[in-house]
């Protein structure tokens, strides 16, 4: 069982702790860490590293998602969670100073997966990681990540804007990246 802190609009724990499946059944606000991995491309812009979620995930199976993301277990802070998820999902052992905080994002969605309602209401610390990586050398956590790929930033924005259901990305976070990188 995974337990999560219920959080307020500023991302602070409220003192209430609930089991993850109940948080998503009830739509309670909980914390997540999102790490976007970027690299300069030959066009003078940027590519984003996207992960394709495992087909066994409880939400958005087989969809392209943020480079690395995860829930904050009860009692854990955003940065610790971001560093842990990067290492668990992709095998990247980053230092705290390599993650650049871009801001706080509140995301909400309601979907049906496997015949059950899924209510996601998350408050996320959003980070950027721009250290060089070789995707062939990544150690993917198979139960979480099916594969990874580089995608041109503008192409990704267009796919999300068009409503392509293969992408479970928040447009507001793409806007954060654009503003942070000044592209």
């Amino acid at each position: 069982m995974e337990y999560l802190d219920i959080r307020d609009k500023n991302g602070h724990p409220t003192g209430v702790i609930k089991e993850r499946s109940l948080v998503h059944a009830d739509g309670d606000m909980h914390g997540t860490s999102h790490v976007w991995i970027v690299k300069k491309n030959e066009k003078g812009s940027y590519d984003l590293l996207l992960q394709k979620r495992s087909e066994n995930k409880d939400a958005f199976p087989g969809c392209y998602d943020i480079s690395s993301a995860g829930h904050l277990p009860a009692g854990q802070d955003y940065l610790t969670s971001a560093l842990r998820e990067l290492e668990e999902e992709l095998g990247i052992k980053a230092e705290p100073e390599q993650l650049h905080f871009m801001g706080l994002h509140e995301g909400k969605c309601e979907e049906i997966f496997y015949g059950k309602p899924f209510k996601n209401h998350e408050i996320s610390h959003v980070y950027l990681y721009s250290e060089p990586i070789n995707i062939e050398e990544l150690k993917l956590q198979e139960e979480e990540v099916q594969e990874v790929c580089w995608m041109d930033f503008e192409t990704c924005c267009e796919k999300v804007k068009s409503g392509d259901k293969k992408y479970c990305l928040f447009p507001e976070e793409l806007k954060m990246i654009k503003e942070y990188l000044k592209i």
Side-chain angles (χ1 to χ4, degrees):
M1 289 254 219
E2 185 178 3
Y3 289 91
L4 309 176
D5 290 310
I6 304 305
R7 297 191 175 252
D8 65 21
K9 293 257 183 207
N10 297 312
H12 303 296
T14 63
V16 176
I17 296 172
K18 281 176 85 171
E19 198 275 318
R20 177 182 168 162
S21 65
L22 296 176
V23 168
H24 286 296
D26 299 339
D28 298 310
M29 188 181 299
H30 58 283
T32 60
S33 289
H34 295 175
V35 180
W36 290 91
I37 299 175
V38 300
K39 72 171 183 175
K40 281 265 201 191
N41 63 26
E42 61 282 347
K43 299 180 203 170
S45 185
Y46 289 89
D47 288 338
L48 299 174
L49 182 78
L50 300 180
Q51 68 162 262
K52 188 173 185 183
R53 296 167 62 85
S54 165
E55 294 292 343
N56 301 322
K57 293 292 289 178
D58 63 346
F60 302 100
C63 290
Y64 288 98
D65 202 355
I66 299 160
S67 309
S68 175
H71 291 85
L72 273 63
Q76 195 166 94
D77 67 80
Y78 290 95
L79 183 58
T80 301
S81 179
L83 293 166
R84 176 183 46 79
E85 290 291 343
L86 259 179
E87 188 168 5
E88 285 178 3
E89 292 181 350
L90 303 175
I92 296 172
K93 188 153 180 58
E95 297 298 325
E97 61 275 7
Q98 293 175 317
L99 295 185
H100 305 281
F101 179 69
M102 294 191 294
L104 196 64
H105 175 254
E106 182 179 345
K108 241 180 153 173
C109 73
E110 290 190 26
E111 300 283 343
I112 303 286
F113 296 106
Y114 308 105
K116 291 192 272 186
F118 178 86
K119 299 176 186 175
N120 190 39
H121 190 185
E122 60 188 49
I123 188 83
S124 308
H125 275 209
V126 184
Y127 299 95
L128 189 83
Y129 181 81
S130 58
E131 298 296 317
I133 63 163
N134 180 342
I135 63 173
E136 287 80 30
E137 295 174 3
L138 295 178
K139 294 176 183 77
L140 305 182
Q141 184 181 23
E142 291 178 22
E143 57 273 11
E144 298 278 335
V145 183
Q146 190 173 328
E147 63 184 57
V148 294
C149 67
W150 289 110
M151 180 174 281
D152 175 72
F153 178 78
E154 291 302 327
T155 302
C156 183
C157 290
E158 289 166 14
K159 289 185 179 292
V160 171
K161 187 177 178 181
S162 76
D164 189 330
K165 295 292 185 193
K166 292 181 193 159
Y167 298 83
C168 57
L169 305 170
F170 290 110
E172 302 87 0
E173 289 192 23
L174 294 171
K175 184 177 179 199
M176 290 171 83
I177 295 168
K178 185 173 186 155
E179 289 171 0
Y180 188 85
L181 294 173
K182 297 175 177 48
I183 51 177

